[in-house]
Amino acid sequence: MNRCIAIVATLLAGIAIACPAVAASVDYDFDVTLNPATRLLTASGTVTLPAGEATALALSDRFDQASAFIGDQRLAQAPIRYRLRGWRVPASTEPRVVTVYWQGTLEPLESGQDHRATLDASKPVSDPRGSFLPARSVWYPQPSGSGLATHHVTLRLPPGQRGLVAGELMEERDDVSGYRARYSFDEPGEGIDLIAGPYRVDERIFTAANGRPLRLRTWFFDGMDDLADGYLDAVQDYI
């Protein structure tokens, strides 16, 4: 599983894939704190929905502490479907900004899984050796039939851990107090997959043919970092 996570992280760090440029129906802005040692995830932020009919926000029921508000109005929580809880969001002729808070414990890492089982996972897993939170696990509140969305995620991890989601790296800090990074994905895309682990990050900045500076990165575990130059060369050649 570790090797698989490293390779996926490399792809996410190097190229953020967006869907065709159309108006996004939803915007997420989240602040996420993950402690792999305890598998505890604590998060807050906003889900901005366009004007329209009543809908529902769904979240995995593993998050035993969760609440949602529109302004000062607390939304009533209700079952959505099996293993999902959520909130009913009323209809509105104006965009709706839903403030959300959630906390819960993720699944432990199953070391015996092969790479296909890892990528097909439907549960968010966390461990100091590596964490993978696929969008399909509904680890963050998602509106019914949301389709495409933009996202902005601030990620906080303990010292020795690094993490990423798809998007442009807007800011980053890595010191004795821990790791903090903010990623922004301004083109409407599908879902938010989050990856974290004790990665060594190698970086290269080069100028593309159009004069734009590009940041390339690899994320590998100790003992695999001799692969970094080859991956960076390959991605640079491809671009």
Side-chain angles (χ1 to χ4, degrees), residues 10 20 26 32 97-98 155 176 205 233:
T10 302
V26 177
V32 178
V97 179
V98 184
L155 178 59
V176 294
I205 305 292
D233 289 342

Side-chain angles (χ1 to χ4, degrees), residues 12 27-30 32 132-142 149-153 164-166 185 189-195:
L12 283 174
D27 180 75
Y28 302 113
D29 194 329
F30 296 144
V32 178
F132 180 41
L133 286 62
R136 70 169 67 93
S137 68
V138 200
W139 68 268
Y140 60 93
Q142 303 175 21
T150 55
H151 65 251
H152 316 276
V153 177
L164 75 159
V165 300
F185 199 96
E190 297 180 353
I192 306 173
D193 294 334
L194 189 158
I195 293 174

Side-chain angles (χ1 to χ4, degrees), residues 113-135:
Q113 287 187 334
D114 63 18
H115 68 283
R116 287 185 175 84
T118 300
L119 292 178
D120 289 340
S122 60
K123 298 178 180 180
V125 299
S126 187
D127 185 281
R129 295 169 294 170
S131 302
F132 180 41
L133 286 62

Side-chain angles (χ1 to χ4, degrees), residues 25 88 185:
S25 60
R88 302 296 179 184
F185 199 96

